[in-house]
PDB file of all heavy atoms in Angstrom:
ATOM      1  N   PRO A 288     119.269 118.531  62.139  1.00 66.00           N
ATOM      2  CA  PRO A 288     118.057 117.853  61.604  1.00 66.00           C
ATOM      3  C   PRO A 288     117.208 117.234  62.709  1.00 66.00           C
ATOM      4  O   PRO A 288     117.757 116.737  63.706  1.00 66.00           O
ATOM      5  CB  PRO A 288     118.649 116.795  60.669  1.00 66.00           C
ATOM      6  CG  PRO A 288     120.014 116.596  61.101  1.00 66.00           C
ATOM      7  CD  PRO A 288     120.470 117.857  61.726  1.00 66.00           C
ATOM      8  N   SER A 289     115.936 117.267  62.516  1.00 75.00           N
ATOM      9  CA  SER A 289     114.993 116.655  63.454  1.00 75.00           C
ATOM     10  C   SER A 289     115.009 115.160  63.314  1.00 75.00           C
ATOM     11  O   SER A 289     115.417 114.628  62.281  1.00 75.00           O
ATOM     12  CB  SER A 289     113.598 117.201  63.230  1.00 75.00           C
ATOM     13  OG  SER A 289     113.544 118.575  63.351  1.00 75.00           O
ATOM     14  N   SER A 290     114.500 114.519  64.324  1.00 82.00           N
ATOM     15  CA  SER A 290     114.342 113.065  64.220  1.00 82.00           C
ATOM     16  C   SER A 290     113.149 112.739  63.315  1.00 82.00           C
ATOM     17  O   SER A 290     112.337 113.612  63.002  1.00 82.00           O
ATOM     18  CB  SER A 290     114.092 112.451  65.578  1.00 82.00           C
ATOM     19  OG  SER A 290     112.769 112.821  66.068  1.00 82.00           O
ATOM     20  N   ALA A 291     113.099 111.503  62.857  1.00 82.00           N
ATOM     21  CA  ALA A 291     112.016 111.117  61.944  1.00 82.00           C
ATOM     22  C   ALA A 291     110.686 111.212  62.650  1.00 82.00           C
ATOM     23  O   ALA A 291     109.684 111.580  62.088  1.00 82.00           O
ATOM     24  CB  ALA A 291     112.257 109.660  61.471  1.00 82.00           C
ATOM     25  N   ALA A 292     110.654 110.939  63.947  1.00 83.00           N
ATOM     26  CA  ALA A 292     109.392 111.051  64.698  1.00 83.00           C
ATOM     27  C   ALA A 292     108.927 112.469  64.728  1.00 83.00           C
ATOM     28  O   ALA A 292     107.737 112.768  64.558  1.00 83.00           O
ATOM     29  CB  ALA A 292     109.585 110.494  66.159  1.00 83.00           C
ATOM     30  N   GLU A 293     109.874 113.417  64.947  1.00 85.00           N
ATOM     31  CA  GLU A 293     109.504 114.855  64.985  1.00 85.00           C
ATOM     32  C   GLU A 293     109.037 115.302  63.599  1.00 85.00           C
ATOM     33  O   GLU A 293     108.098 116.103  63.492  1.00 85.00           O
ATOM     34  CB  GLU A 293     110.676 115.696  65.463  1.00 85.00           C
ATOM     35  CG  GLU A 293     110.350 117.108  65.750  1.00 85.00           C
ATOM     36  CD  GLU A 293     109.258 117.276  66.825  1.00 85.00           C
ATOM     37  OE1 GLU A 293     109.224 116.521  67.784  1.00 85.00           O
ATOM     38  OE2 GLU A 293     108.448 118.203  66.667  1.00 85.00           O
ATOM     39  N   GLU A 294     109.642 114.794  62.560  1.00 84.00           N
ATOM     40  CA  GLU A 294     109.237 115.165  61.233  1.00 84.00           C
ATOM     41  C   GLU A 294     107.830 114.627  60.919  1.00 84.00           C
ATOM     42  O   GLU A 294     107.002 115.291  60.241  1.00 84.00           O
ATOM     43  CB  GLU A 294     110.221 114.610  60.169  1.00 84.00           C
ATOM     44  CG  GLU A 294     111.602 115.316  60.200  1.00 84.00           C
ATOM     45  CD  GLU A 294     111.471 116.798  59.874  1.00 84.00           C
ATOM     46  OE1 GLU A 294     110.717 117.145  58.963  1.00 84.00           O
ATOM     47  OE2 GLU A 294     112.163 117.578  60.518  1.00 84.00           O
ATOM     48  N   LEU A 295     107.540 113.436  61.401  1.00 83.00           N
ATOM     49  CA  LEU A 295     106.175 112.885  61.208  1.00 83.00           C
ATOM     50  C   LEU A 295     105.132 113.747  61.947  1.00 83.00           C
ATOM     51  O   LEU A 295     104.064 114.012  61.433  1.00 83.00           O
ATOM     52  CB  LEU A 295     106.103 111.435  61.698  1.00 83.00           C
ATOM     53  CG  LEU A 295     104.742 110.737  61.560  1.00 83.00           C
ATOM     54  CD1 LEU A 295     104.305 110.697  60.088  1.00 83.00           C
ATOM     55  CD2 LEU A 295     104.780 109.351  62.168  1.00 83.00           C
ATOM     56  N   ARG A 296     105.497 114.183  63.145  1.00 84.00           N
ATOM     57  CA  ARG A 296     104.617 115.066  63.925  1.00 84.00           C
ATOM     58  C   ARG A 296     104.319 116.318  63.138  1.00 84.00           C
ATOM     59  O   ARG A 296     103.199 116.796  63.010  1.00 84.00           O
ATOM     60  CB  ARG A 296     105.246 115.429  65.243  1.00 84.00           C
ATOM     61  CG  ARG A 296     104.678 114.697  66.382  1.00 84.00           C
ATOM     62  CD  ARG A 296     105.155 115.325  67.703  1.00 84.00           C
ATOM     63  NE  ARG A 296     105.210 114.267  68.670  1.00 84.00           N
ATOM     64  CZ  ARG A 296     106.295 113.645  69.069  1.00 84.00           C
ATOM     65  NH1 ARG A 296     107.471 114.050  68.676  1.00 84.00           N
ATOM     66  NH2 ARG A 296     106.236 112.695  69.904  1.00 84.00           N
ATOM     67  N   LYS A 297     105.373 116.924  62.538  1.00 87.00           N
ATOM     68  CA  LYS A 297     105.224 118.136  61.763  1.00 87.00           C
ATOM     69  C   LYS A 297     104.331 117.893  60.517  1.00 87.00           C
ATOM     70  O   LYS A 297     103.496 118.732  60.205  1.00 87.00           O
ATOM     71  CB  LYS A 297     106.606 118.646  61.312  1.00 87.00           C
ATOM     72  CG  LYS A 297     107.430 119.228  62.419  1.00 87.00           C
ATOM     73  CD  LYS A 297     108.773 119.644  61.871  1.00 87.00           C
ATOM     74  CE  LYS A 297     109.739 120.090  62.951  1.00 87.00           C
ATOM     75  NZ  LYS A 297     111.066 120.423  62.346  1.00 87.00           N
ATOM     76  N   LEU A 298     104.513 116.726  59.903  1.00 85.00           N
ATOM     77  CA  LEU A 298     103.709 116.404  58.727  1.00 85.00           C
ATOM     78  C   LEU A 298     102.196 116.267  59.140  1.00 85.00           C
ATOM     79  O   LEU A 298     101.309 116.824  58.474  1.00 85.00           O
ATOM     80  CB  LEU A 298     104.174 115.091  58.093  1.00 85.00           C
ATOM     81  CG  LEU A 298     103.306 114.553  56.943  1.00 85.00           C
ATOM     82  CD1 LEU A 298     103.379 115.579  55.753  1.00 85.00           C
ATOM     83  CD2 LEU A 298     103.762 113.197  56.554  1.00 85.00           C
ATOM     84  N   VAL A 299     101.963 115.563  60.226  1.00 84.00           N
ATOM     85  CA  VAL A 299     100.583 115.380  60.682  1.00 84.00           C
ATOM     86  C   VAL A 299      99.958 116.731  61.016  1.00 84.00           C
ATOM     87  O   VAL A 299      98.827 117.039  60.626  1.00 84.00           O
ATOM     88  CB  VAL A 299     100.509 114.404  61.911  1.00 84.00           C
ATOM     89  CG1 VAL A 299      99.159 114.436  62.545  1.00 84.00           C
ATOM     90  CG2 VAL A 299     100.886 112.981  61.447  1.00 84.00           C
ATOM     91  N   ASP A 300     100.721 117.607  61.680  1.00 85.00           N
ATOM     92  CA  ASP A 300     100.195 118.906  62.034  1.00 85.00           C
ATOM     93  C   ASP A 300      99.921 119.745  60.785  1.00 85.00           C
ATOM     94  O   ASP A 300      98.892 120.446  60.717  1.00 85.00           O
ATOM     95  CB  ASP A 300     101.183 119.665  62.967  1.00 85.00           C
ATOM     96  CG  ASP A 300     101.238 119.070  64.365  1.00 85.00           C
ATOM     97  OD1 ASP A 300     100.299 118.315  64.725  1.00 85.00           O
ATOM     98  OD2 ASP A 300     102.211 119.300  65.084  1.00 85.00           O
ATOM     99  N   ALA A 301     100.834 119.683  59.831  1.00 87.00           N
ATOM    100  CA  ALA A 301     100.639 120.477  58.608  1.00 87.00           C
ATOM    101  C   ALA A 301      99.415 120.000  57.822  1.00 87.00           C
ATOM    102  O   ALA A 301      98.606 120.817  57.348  1.00 87.00           O
ATOM    103  CB  ALA A 301     101.870 120.418  57.729  1.00 87.00           C
ATOM    104  N   VAL A 302      99.245 118.682  57.710  1.00 84.00           N
ATOM    105  CA  VAL A 302      98.083 118.153  56.998  1.00 84.00           C
ATOM    106  C   VAL A 302      96.811 118.502  57.736  1.00 84.00           C
ATOM    107  O   VAL A 302      95.791 118.893  57.143  1.00 84.00           O
ATOM    108  CB  VAL A 302      98.231 116.605  56.801  1.00 84.00           C
ATOM    109  CG1 VAL A 302      96.923 115.988  56.317  1.00 84.00           C
ATOM    110  CG2 VAL A 302      99.355 116.312  55.858  1.00 84.00           C
ATOM    111  N   ALA A 303      96.837 118.366  59.049  1.00 81.00           N
ATOM    112  CA  ALA A 303      95.661 118.715  59.846  1.00 81.00           C
ATOM    113  C   ALA A 303      95.308 120.161  59.674  1.00 81.00           C
ATOM    114  O   ALA A 303      94.097 120.535  59.551  1.00 81.00           O
ATOM    115  CB  ALA A 303      95.932 118.390  61.306  1.00 81.00           C
TER     116      ALA A 303
END
Side-chain angles (χ1 to χ4, degrees):
S289 301
S290 69
E293 190 59 36
E294 291 297 320
L295 180 61
R296 257 192 210 102
K297 289 178 186 177
L298 175 65
V299 168
D300 289 341
V302 169

